[in-house]
Amino acid sequence: MSAAAIQADPPASTSGAGAVNPWVIALLVALASFMEVLDTTIANVALPYIAGGMGVSEDEASWVVTTYLVANAIILTASSYLARMLGRKTFFLISLGLFTLSSLLSGLAPNLNALLLFRIMQGVGGGGMVPVAQSILADLFPPAKRGQAFALFGVAVVVAPVVGPTLGGWLSDNVSWQWCFLINVPVGLIAMALIALLLHETPKAQARQGDERFDVVGFILITTFLGALEVVMDRGLEDDWFGSPFIVTFAVISGLAFVLMIPWGLTRRNPIIDLRMVATRQFGACFLVMLATGAILLATTQFLPQLVQQDFGYTATWADLVLSPGGVVTMVMMFVVGRVAAKVQPKYLIIAGAVIIALSMYDMTNVYGDLGFWFMARSRMLLGVGLPLVFVPIMAASYDGIPPSMTDQASALINAARNTGGSIGVSIVSNVLTHREQFHQSRLVEQVVPSSAQYQNTLQQITSYFAAHGSSLAQAHDQAIQWIGEQVQAQASFLAYMDAFWVLMLISLSAVPLALALRKVKLGGPVHMGH
C-alpha cells in the first residue's frame, strides 16, 4: 500500500465504503462472519435431537457437522479468485444469500439426506463469506486502524464458537433443533439488505488477461487435499483410524493431492493458492500460528463442557455457562488489543498471548473431582485474555508486505489455517482422551487388588455405608464394588484430561518461536481512535 493510502483515513478509493462510516460496514461483515462461524459449533449440541427427530443413529447425524466443514474448506480456496472476478461486494452477497437460503432449507429438511445436501450448500456459502469479510476490512481501514477493525472481526470469529453450543443447546431444549439453522434467516436477510445498500463494489479483475484464468487443476488438488483431510480428522476416531479402509482411502487421497499440489502450485503463473506466500518467513509464521490458535480455540470450546458434564455432573446449560465468563473477557480484550496493536509490535503481543494461553492450559492440568465452577470459569477467563493477544496481531501481521491485489488470497489462507487447525486440535484431543483413559484405567486396575488389606478395608467401609443407608448386606456389598469401579473410571478420566491439557499447553508454546521469526511491521504512526 502506498504512503498516501496509509495516511488516508480510510482509503476510500479501495475500501468501497464511500461516504458511509467504515465502522458500519465493518459491523455488518463481522455480523455475517459471526453467523457463519456460529454454524461450525451450533449443530454439535443438536446432534442427539437431529438423530432422534430423523430416526437415524448419532453417528449418521454427525455427518451434519462433517459435510459443513468439508464444504467450508473447499470453497475457501476459490474465494480469492471469485472475489476478484465478480467483485467483492457481489461475491459476498452471493455467498451470504446462499448461506441464508440453505439455512432456511436445513431447518425445513424432511430427511437426513436432504439436510446433508443443504449443509453442504451452507458450508459453500459460509466459506466464501469469512475471507472476503477479512479482505474488506483490510482495505477499508489504513494500517494504523486495522488492529481495531480486526478486533471487531475477531469477536465474531472467537466468540461465535463459544456462543454456538450454548445457543444450540438452549434452542434444541426449549424450541426445536430446526431453529439452530432457521435463526440465521432473519439476520442474513437484514445483513444482505444493508450491505447491498452501503458497500461500494471493488473493481473486477479483467477476464481477458491471460493470467486470470481459473486454475482448475490447482483447485481440484487443494480441495481434494483439504476435503479429504477434514473427513479423516473428523471421522478418524469414530471409524478406528487406520483400522478402517474408509479412513485409509481418504488419508491416501489427501496425501496424494498434497504431494501433487506443491509442484503444480509452484510452476503456475497465477495459481489458485500461491504456495510461495506460505513459504515466506512472515506469512508462513502467521499461517502456522493461526493453525495452533484454531486448534486451541476449538478444542477447548468442545472439551471443557464435555469434561464438566461427564466428570462433574453439570447439566448442558451449566456446562455452557462455564465458557461464558471467558467469552465476556475475550470480547473486552479484543478491543483492548485492537488499540494496543497500533503501538506494539505483533511479535511481542503474540508471545504474551501464547504464554498466557499456555498458563491457562497448565492451570487445567490440576483438574480433580473437588473443583468448583469458578476454577473452570477462571481458567477459561485466562484463556480469554490470551486468545485476542494472538488473534488480532496475527491478522494484522499476516497482511504486512502483501500487495492489495493479494489480500483476498491472504484472507483465504489464514481462514483455511484457522478451520483446519480447529479440526486438527479436536482430533488430537479426542485421541489423547480415548487412548490415555484406556492406559490410565489399565494402570489403576493393577492397583485394585482384592487380596490387599487396603482394598478389603475400603470395601468394608463402603459396604457399611450402604448398609447404614438401608441396603441389605448382599446389596451393600455389590454397591461397594460398583462404587470402587466408578472411582477407578473417574480417576482415569481426570488423568486423561490432564494429559490433553498438557498437549494443548505445548501447542500454545509452539507459537513463541514462530512469533520470534516475525519481522517488525510499520505500525502506522499516530492513531486517532473511535471514528
Side-chain angles (χ1 to χ4, degrees):
M1 207 178 266
S2 69
I6 289 169
Q7 285 157 9
D9 191 6
S13 59
T14 59
S15 74
V20 181
N21 185 327
W23 284 105
V24 175
I25 293 168
L27 197 62
L28 287 170
V29 296
L31 178 66
S33 304
F34 180 84
M35 282 167 32
E36 192 278 326
V37 180
L38 186 75
D39 265 57
T40 56
T41 57
I42 197 169
N44 289 12
V45 187
L47 290 180
Y49 296 90
I50 294 170
M54 294 192 155
V56 295
S57 69
E58 261 190 67
D59 187 42
E60 288 173 293
S62 65
W63 279 99
V64 169
V65 176
T66 307
T67 49
Y68 182 83
L69 291 172
V70 170
N72 219 288
I74 285 171
I75 195 64
L76 267 175
T77 52
S79 62
S80 60
Y81 174 84
L82 293 169
R84 284 201 310 277
M85 296 307 294
L86 299 169
R88 273 188 204 144
K89 176 181 175 177
T90 305
F91 179 58
F92 191 83
L93 285 173
I94 290 169
S95 297
L96 182 51
L98 179 61
F99 181 82
T100 306
L101 173 65
S102 49
S103 295
L104 176 66
L105 293 171
S106 295
L108 303 174
N111 54 47
L112 184 65
N113 288 342
L115 179 58
L116 295 180
L117 172 65
F118 301 143
R119 280 289 277 177
I120 289 169
M121 287 166 58
Q122 202 185 22
V124 169
M129 278 192 315
V130 177
V132 179
Q134 213 170 303
S135 304
I136 290 168
L137 293 178
D139 281 353
L140 206 56
F141 294 88
K145 285 193 177 177
R146 264 186 208 164
Q148 283 179 289
F150 285 138
L152 183 63
F153 179 80
V155 168
V157 171
V158 175
V159 176
V162 179
V163 174
T166 312
L167 186 59
W170 188 87
L171 287 169
S172 300
D173 284 340
N174 297 290
V175 193
S176 75
W177 65 262
Q178 282 89 345
W179 275 96
C180 292
F181 306 119
L182 295 175
I183 196 171
N184 294 327
V185 177
V187 183
L189 291 172
I190 292 165
M192 277 174 74
L194 290 172
I195 288 167
L197 278 171
L198 301 176
L199 184 64
H200 289 202
E201 185 56 281
T202 52
K204 297 181 184 65
Q206 293 299 311
R208 65 175 181 272
Q209 289 175 352
D211 63 351
E212 275 298 344
R213 280 200 300 273
F214 186 63
D215 178 15
V216 178
V217 176
F219 177 67
I220 291 169
L221 287 173
I222 198 158
T223 55
T224 304
F225 161 61
L226 282 175
L229 179 67
E230 199 71 65
V231 170
V232 170
M233 289 294 167
D234 206 47
R235 307 290 305 176
L237 193 62
E238 285 172 37
D239 293 351
D240 191 30
W241 288 105
F242 297 108
S244 154
F246 173 79
I247 294 296
V248 170
T249 305
F250 272 84
V252 169
I253 290 169
S254 181
L256 270 174
F258 179 72
V259 168
L260 295 170
M261 181 179 89
I262 294 171
W264 179 270
L266 292 175
T267 53
R268 297 306 106 183
R269 261 188 74 196
N270 202 9
I272 187 84
I273 288 292
D274 194 341
L275 295 174
R276 286 177 287 264
M277 195 193 286
V278 184
T280 62
R281 187 180 87 175
Q282 182 78 0
F283 191 85
C286 291
F287 183 87
L288 291 171
V289 172
M290 189 54 100
L291 210 61
T293 308
I296 287 160
L297 173 63
L298 239 69
T300 55
T301 303
Q302 185 157 328
F303 292 103
L304 187 59
Q306 185 180 303
L307 164 67
V308 294
Q309 280 179 279
Q310 186 182 304
D311 292 344
F312 291 86
Y314 283 33
T315 61
T317 307
W318 275 100
D320 294 329
L321 284 173
V322 168
L323 303 179
S324 301
V328 173
V329 170
T330 302
M331 284 177 72
V332 173
M333 278 299 295
M334 277 290 177
F335 295 109
V336 171
V337 176
R339 289 181 171 235
V340 173
K343 297 171 181 168
V344 180
Q345 284 295 327
K347 62 159 73 177
Y348 303 125
L349 293 177
I350 293 163
I351 290 167
V355 170
I356 291 169
I357 292 168
L359 285 171
S360 164
M361 295 299 98
Y362 175 73
D363 197 29
M364 287 301 294
T365 61
N366 298 313
V367 68
Y368 63 93
D370 290 344
L371 294 175
F373 176 89
W374 282 107
F375 174 85
M376 308 291 177
R378 262 199 315 274
S379 172
R380 186 74 197 182
M381 286 159 82
L382 189 59
L383 181 69
V385 172
L387 277 172
L389 281 164
V390 176
F391 199 86
V392 175
I394 210 69
M395 303 262 274
S398 61
Y399 289 101
D400 182 61
I402 302 279
S405 62
M406 298 292 278
T407 52
D408 289 316
Q409 189 151 132
S411 298
L413 282 165
I414 285 292
N415 278 285
R418 180 176 52 78
N419 280 13
T420 308
S423 293
I424 292 169
V426 168
S427 188
I428 288 172
V429 174
S430 296
N431 280 285
V432 170
L433 288 177
T434 303
H435 294 116
R436 296 299 291 174
E437 188 169 345
Q438 289 169 355
F439 168 80
H440 289 304
Q441 196 161 349
S442 62
R443 291 289 86 85
L444 289 167
V445 166
E446 288 169 10
Q447 309 302 316
V448 182
V449 184
S451 58
S452 73
Q454 195 179 6
Y455 179 88
Q456 289 300 329
N457 188 28
T458 305
L459 184 64
Q460 197 175 347
Q461 283 181 322
I462 305 302
T463 304
S464 302
Y465 171 84
F466 284 120
H469 285 75
S471 297
S472 69
L473 208 56
Q475 275 179 316
H477 182 76
D478 291 344
Q479 285 171 310
I481 290 172
Q482 188 183 344
W483 182 87
I484 290 169
E486 286 168 0
Q487 293 308 302
V488 168
Q489 190 119 29
Q491 290 306 315
S493 178
F494 283 130
L495 289 165
Y497 273 103
M498 286 179 192
D499 293 340
F501 287 119
W502 277 112
V503 169
L504 288 171
M505 186 188 90
L506 294 174
I507 290 174
S508 59
L509 287 175
S510 70
V512 174
L514 289 167
L516 289 169
L518 294 174
R519 63 170 176 261
K520 289 195 170 185
V521 305
K522 190 173 188 300
L523 293 172
V527 187
H528 305 289
M529 302 292 182
H531 67 266

